[in-house]
Amino acid sequence: MGDKKPQHQISMAASAIALRGVRLFLSVGRAAAEKRAAPPPRPRRPKTKLVLPANKLQQKVVDMLLKNTKFNKNELEALHTMYRRLVTTAQTAVPTTGSIGQPVAKVDGIDQCTFRDVMHNTFDLVTEEAVLDRVWLTWERGPTGGEGALKFETWAHGLSILLRGTDEERRVHCFAVYDLNGDGYITKDEMFTLLKNCLLKQPGDEDPDEGVRDLVELVLKKLDIDKDGKVSIDDYRQAVEKEPLLLEAFGQCLPSKRHATAFMKTLSTK
């Protein structure tokens, strides 16, 4: 909690953060290219070939994403440009050799550190680390599950849900984030884990966990529609339909409409 920025300070600079973040992402590729074009330092370091995404989107990928996301062709091309530059910047930041002098493999895609930077700086997703880790893990990667870097198709699909998702898509996304073990239910233990990190211990509190347990019981009453002691996706869906504020009851999973709109406007001008 010590590293978490005060929410009121973040809100005051929200639009500036989003736009500055996007401008940074759209300019880092140029800086990286200039860096690679500069004469190599002496003594020369072993070179490692960068694994860069293709310069141009393949038509079959465009057609697929036009069907499966809510982006148009121009927006997809702008997202692909951003994706390439994010990957390039991350790769150039990795040392060319490891501790034993062997070449270091370059990540082919958006790695978790880059993902965190985008969520924090561009979308103002300042939330608990446990929640942000879950957002990362729940982005669909096909057979690789929650491991590995994000390919462009996954990147575009995930952003489509975050930025333009339907109410149902947003509910499914948030539920998956909160379902820590992926068994289809948000249990009291999972609620406790999520809520404990959200509360600051007050001076004089002898047992801060007791307050968390009380909060868990309160939230459970709101979400557990069928009263079986845990929250299913159907419970969650019904509860959020009645009270939309419960959508992000256990931590921020989605960018605000303001940040989503600012980001999309920036894409449309490219």
Side-chain angles (χ1 to χ4, degrees):
M1 289 298 298
D3 295 334
K4 185 176 179 181
K5 297 180 180 178
Q7 190 63 40
H8 70 280
Q9 292 181 6
I10 295 167
S11 297
M12 291 175 62
S15 296
I17 291 174
L19 294 176
R20 184 168 66 250
V22 173
R23 285 197 297 269
L24 173 63
F25 297 143
L26 296 178
S27 65
V28 289
R30 188 183 306 110
E34 293 173 353
K35 182 178 180 180
R36 292 195 303 274
R42 296 186 179 183
R44 292 192 176 188
R45 303 162 72 182
K47 294 182 179 180
T48 302
K49 183 178 180 181
L50 299 183
V51 184
L52 300 179
N55 285 316
K56 188 175 181 181
L57 274 173
Q58 296 181 359
Q59 188 59 46
K60 63 180 182 179
V61 174
V62 173
D63 293 341
M64 182 270 290
L65 291 175
L66 286 174
K67 293 179 180 179
N68 298 333
T69 71
K70 296 177 177 63
F71 296 122
N72 60 38
K73 183 176 181 181
N74 290 336
E75 290 166 344
L76 287 171
E77 290 176 348
L79 285 174
H80 189 253
T81 298
M82 175 186 293
Y83 172 82
R84 278 181 46 80
R85 289 172 174 167
L86 287 171
V87 174
T88 301
T89 302
Q91 289 188 351
T92 56
V94 176
T96 56
T97 57
S99 58
I100 58 175
Q102 296 298 317
V104 176
K106 299 294 183 177
V107 176
D108 182 15
I110 291 179
D111 61 20
Q112 188 170 4
C113 290
T114 302
F115 180 84
R116 284 173 175 270
D117 289 342
V118 174
M119 294 299 110
H120 280 310
N121 300 326
T122 302
F123 299 128
D124 196 32
L125 211 65
V126 182
T127 187
E128 297 302 322
E129 291 303 308
V131 173
L132 196 54
D133 286 345
R134 286 295 303 162
V135 173
W136 161 260
L137 290 171
T138 54
W139 280 40
E140 181 57 49
R141 292 172 175 78
T144 60
E147 300 178 357
L150 299 175
K151 302 295 187 179
F152 176 69
E153 293 86 341
T154 301
W155 171 247
H157 187 266
L159 288 181
S160 178
I161 294 175
L162 290 191
L163 299 170
R164 289 178 170 169
T166 64
D167 288 343
E168 176 62 10
E169 287 174 332
R170 289 158 64 89
R171 286 191 290 263
V172 171
H173 166 71
C174 291
F175 182 87
V177 170
Y178 301 146
D179 179 13
L180 301 182
N181 63 0
D183 68 350
Y185 296 95
I186 305 174
T187 64
K188 293 173 68 173
D189 287 342
E190 288 170 329
M191 293 180 197
F192 182 87
T193 298
L194 291 163
L195 291 174
K196 183 176 181 179
N197 292 328
C198 296
L199 299 180
L200 288 171
K201 181 178 180 181
Q202 299 300 320
D205 285 350
E206 296 182 358
D207 185 8
D209 288 355
E210 182 177 353
V212 179
R213 284 190 287 269
D214 291 341
L215 185 56
V216 167
E217 293 299 331
L218 179 62
V219 177
L220 186 63
K221 289 180 181 179
K222 294 286 187 179
L223 293 176
D224 185 15
I225 303 300
D226 60 9
K227 307 304 178 186
D228 65 349
K230 55 188 177 183
V231 179
S232 67
I233 183 61
D234 289 334
D235 289 334
Y236 184 76
R237 182 182 291 113
Q238 294 179 54
V240 171
E241 286 176 349
K242 293 179 181 178
E243 180 49 73
L245 291 177
L246 292 172
L247 178 65
E248 296 180 273
F250 304 110
Q252 185 186 6
C253 304
L254 299 162
S256 68
K257 289 183 179 180
R258 179 174 57 190
H259 285 87
T261 300
F263 180 80
M264 292 309 306
K265 284 183 178 179
T266 303
L267 278 186
S268 66
T269 61
K270 302 302 175 185

